[in-house]
């Protein structure tokens, strides 16, 4: 492919440990070259042109724009752009992260607080077939981990990077990423013989069954919900920082005394831009596949102050020809009043929301609905909603992996809200 073919046929390939290799940024033409290479892997639902357009569009949406996305290649130093090989490539997406730490103040002395920093989500790690097995991706990941750490002043304030491995747990953990909980609850769509009318009928039925207490979430409702979510998350992290609560939401003095405490609690902020990145990506895909975009981006149950909601996105890798991978992903589930909501309300709310999600999955030709790493409490409630489900502990795909740059070891990190919204 392009300079890669020329390079591999005319020169002997450099050793992966060679000091002549460099991690740098591709030119515009090289970016298109990497997208052309990755199309068969990640873009079969789209034509090559549409896939390249999508990747280009995804540099302009919230989260990615204003320098949020960075493309990287491993290549040979000293060669001009467009004439050098792309030995391996990937991209990173900048995200806000909240984390707990200790600070010293004149008034209070040592104090546990919540701070904000940057995280980078790494995606699209790829080596051209003709260059595989020579250590190039390994070298790229080693260089990238150093570059993201910010030693060179790049993106100061970076506290961690995350990635979702589709090649199991060994490769990235060998290069310093810790493996975190990677399970999901899976529901079937409401109707297998899906069609637009039936999907919409099911959605109305789900709404009717919960006596109007469930409302659809569209673009316009998201901003307020994400603001509330961030406020609640900050409060929760503060409780975690001070040992007033543990990962599972149990309060001090409850049955958690013997649980091993983690040194640092971190969460990628489930902010509006984070959600919009997923939703605009989804819109691009559905416009190409269905000629229209879905209006329902989630569902919310109950009254303000005591709401339960879920935000979701639809993912299509095989389009309508290869349906197995088509999934309605629940990006984030929020219980607004975690301590005040009754078990009964939670179960009813969750049932209504899951039923809307299943109806949407049917309407939009998704084969399944997935909710990543639900909390203990949510899992308990899911067991009571009366909808068939399966718990899947993934060992190969989308393995949540994190590298912590703070003083603590990565194993000491408690990843709070390890849900699909953080994926890229
Ligand atoms: C995964 C990939 C990037 C590796 O690139 P590479 O330059 O060949 O990687 P390296 O030579 O540095 O390392 C190869 C290692 O990756 C492992 N690996 C490659 N593909 C793998 C797979 N599908 N499952 C598990 N391990 C895999 C190899 O077993 C090897 O392990 P080793 O170091 O213990 O011998 C490349 O195979 C690729 O582009 N695959 C298609 C895209 C993809 O799956 N990307 C990963 C997304 S998370």
């Amino acid at each position: 492919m392009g300079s890669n073919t020329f390079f591999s046929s005319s020169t002997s390939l450099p050793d992966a440990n060679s000091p002549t290799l460099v991690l740098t940024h591709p030119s515009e033409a090289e970016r298109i070259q990497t997208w052309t290479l990755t199309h068969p892997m990640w873009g079969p639902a789209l034509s090559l042109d549409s896939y390249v357009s999508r990747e280009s569009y995804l540099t302009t949406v919230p989260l990615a724009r204003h320098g949020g996305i960075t493309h990287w290649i491993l290549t040979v130093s000293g060669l001009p752009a467009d004439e050098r090989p792309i030995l391996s490539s990937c991209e990173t997406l900048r995200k806000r992260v909240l984390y707990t730490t200790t600070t010293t103040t004149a008034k209070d002395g040592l104090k546990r607080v919540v701070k904000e920093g940057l995280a980078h989500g790494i995606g699209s790690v790829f080596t051209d077939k003709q260059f595989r097995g020579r250590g190039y991706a390994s070298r790229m990941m080693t260089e990238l981990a150093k570059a993201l750490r910010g030693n060179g002043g790049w993106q100061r304030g970076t506290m961690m990077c995350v990635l979702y491995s589709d090649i199991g747990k060994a490769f990235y953990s060998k290069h310093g990423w810790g493996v975190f909980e990677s399970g999901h609850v899976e529901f079937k769509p409401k109707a297998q013989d899906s069609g637009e009318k039936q999907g919409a009928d099911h959605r109305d039925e789900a709404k009717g069954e919960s006596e109007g207490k469930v409302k659809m979430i569209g673009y316009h409702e998201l901003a307020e919900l994400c603001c509330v979510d961030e406020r609640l998350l900050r409060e929760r992290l503060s409780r975690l920082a001070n040992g007033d609560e543990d990962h599972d939401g149990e309060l001090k003095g409850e049955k958690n005394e013997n649980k091993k405490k983690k040194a640092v609690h971190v969460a990628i902020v489930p902010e509006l831009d984070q959600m919009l990145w997923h939703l605009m990506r989804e819109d691009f895909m559905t416009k190409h596949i269905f000629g229209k975009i879905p209006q329902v981006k989630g569902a919310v149950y109950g009254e303000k102050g005591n709401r339960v909601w879920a935000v979701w996105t639809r993912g299509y890798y095989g389009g309508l020809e290869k349906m197995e991978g088509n999934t309605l992903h629940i990006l984030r589930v929020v219980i607004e009043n975690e301590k005040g909501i009754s078990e009964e309300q939670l179960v009813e709310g969750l049932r209504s929301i899951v039923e809307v999600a299943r109806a949407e999955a049917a309407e939009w030709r998704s084969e399944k609905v997935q909710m990543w790493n639900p909390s203990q409490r949510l899992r308990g409630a899911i067991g009571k909603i009366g909808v068939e489900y399966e718990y899947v502990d993934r060992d190969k795909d989308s393995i949540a992996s994190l590298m912590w740059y703070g003083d603590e070891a990565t194993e000491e990190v408690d990843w709070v809200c390890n849900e699909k919204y953080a994926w890229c």
Side-chain angles (χ1 to χ4, degrees), residues 11 30 232:
T11 332
E30 286 170 332
L232 295 172

Side-chain angles (χ1 to χ4, degrees), residues 41 125-127 132-138 166-167 171-172 174:
M41 179 92 199
V125 174
F126 190 87
T127 299
R132 284 185 195 165
R134 294 170 178 272
Y136 293 141
S138 299
D166 288 332
I167 55 169
F171 180 74
Y172 294 103
K174 199 165 92 179

Side-chain angles (χ1 to χ4, degrees), residues 69-93:
I69 193 165
T70 307
H71 296 88
W72 305 85
I73 55 169
L74 182 79
T75 187
V76 178
S77 63
L79 292 178
D82 308 333
E83 291 174 30
R84 55 193 179 178
I86 298 176
L87 299 173
S88 202
S89 59
C90 66
E91 65 197 32
T92 54
L93 205 51

Side-chain angles (χ1 to χ4, degrees), residues 367-392:
E367 291 280 283
K368 48 198 175 251
V369 174
Q370 283 185 6
M371 185 192 291
W372 282 15
N373 301 327
S375 64
Q376 292 276 15
R377 183 153 191 217
L378 275 176
R379 274 183 76 170
I382 286 165
K384 297 179 187 159
I385 65 175
V387 177
E388 198 187 319
Y389 73 95
E390 186 191 357
Y391 185 79
V392 180

Side-chain angles (χ1 to χ4, degrees), residues 115-383:
K115 277 199 170 172
E116 182 170 332
L118 296 178
H120 296 278
I122 304 168
S124 306
V125 174
F126 190 87
T127 299
D128 190 351
K129 270 191 184 142
Q130 59 190 320
F131 297 155
R132 284 185 195 165
R134 294 170 178 272
Y136 293 141
S138 299
R139 174 75 185 271
M140 178 175 72
M141 295 313 289
T142 305
E143 298 297 333
L144 183 65
K146 282 192 270 177
L148 294 178
R149 188 180 280 270
N151 285 346
W154 192 82
Q155 308 275 8
R156 279 188 194 284
T158 296
M159 295 308 297
M160 65 181 202
C161 52
V162 296
L163 58 84
Y164 294 83
S165 170
D166 288 332
I167 55 169
K169 299 178 179 175
F171 180 74
Y172 294 103
S173 65
K174 199 165 92 179
H175 297 292
W177 274 266
V179 171
F180 284 73
E181 193 182 352
S182 303
H184 62 256
V185 166
E186 193 164 301
F187 305 97
K188 288 198 166 56
K190 189 95 173 170
Q192 295 298 347
D193 56 343
S194 54
E196 189 184 341
K197 185 140 189 306
Q198 281 167 338
D201 284 350
H202 281 307
R203 198 173 59 224
D204 291 344
E205 194 182 292
K207 278 200 290 187
E209 276 168 9
S210 53
E211 296 158 6
K213 285 187 193 154
V214 68
K215 297 185 187 72
M216 304 304 115
I217 297 174
Y219 274 117
H220 296 286
E221 288 75 30
L222 271 174
E224 187 261 339
L225 295 173
C226 289
C227 270
V228 173
D229 193 5
E230 181 171 342
R231 175 175 55 75
L232 295 172
L233 178 60
R234 283 177 183 273
E235 290 168 8
R236 179 171 170 210
L237 285 168
S238 179
R239 291 195 298 276
L240 285 164
N242 292 297
D244 296 334
E245 184 178 309
D246 77 359
H247 180 93
D248 297 325
E250 285 168 4
L251 296 174
K252 204 177 203 166
E254 290 182 359
K255 56 193 178 208
N256 63 345
E257 294 305 334
N258 296 327
K259 282 187 189 164
K260 188 171 173 338
K261 303 252 188 312
K262 295 282 187 179
V264 57
H265 308 273
V266 309
I268 289 176
V269 181
E271 62 179 322
L272 182 63
D273 279 9
Q274 181 67 65
M275 302 303 166
L276 290 178
W277 180 81
H278 289 280
L279 301 183
M280 294 177 89
R281 186 175 192 270
E282 167 188 62
D283 287 354
F284 187 99
M285 293 301 288
T286 53
K287 212 151 54 173
H288 276 76
I289 297 172
F290 299 94
K292 59 182 184 175
I293 58 176
Q295 303 301 315
V296 179
K297 307 295 187 186
V300 52
Y301 177 91
E303 297 304 318
K304 203 164 182 174
N306 206 26
R307 293 172 290 186
V308 182
W309 70 83
V311 180
W312 54 65
T313 192
R314 300 146 188 85
Y316 301 92
Y317 280 96
L320 298 181
E321 280 77 54
K322 206 162 163 272
M323 299 269 290
E324 309 89 80
N326 297 350
T327 305
L328 187 141
H329 287 286
I330 295 184
L331 295 171
R332 173 87 179 116
V333 183
V334 180
I335 305 171
E336 190 171 20
N337 182 9
E338 186 85 53
K339 301 298 164 207
I341 193 168
S342 71
E343 191 62 12
E344 205 183 3
Q345 279 174 312
L346 178 59
V347 170
E348 183 49 37
L350 212 50
R351 180 187 297 123
S352 308
I353 290 167
V354 167
E355 288 301 64
V356 177
R358 294 178 61 228
E360 283 291 308
E363 181 176 346
W364 290 89
R365 311 294 295 273
S366 296
E367 291 280 283
K368 48 198 175 251
V369 174
Q370 283 185 6
M371 185 192 291
W372 282 15
N373 301 327
S375 64
Q376 292 276 15
R377 183 153 191 217
L378 275 176
R379 274 183 76 170
I382 286 165

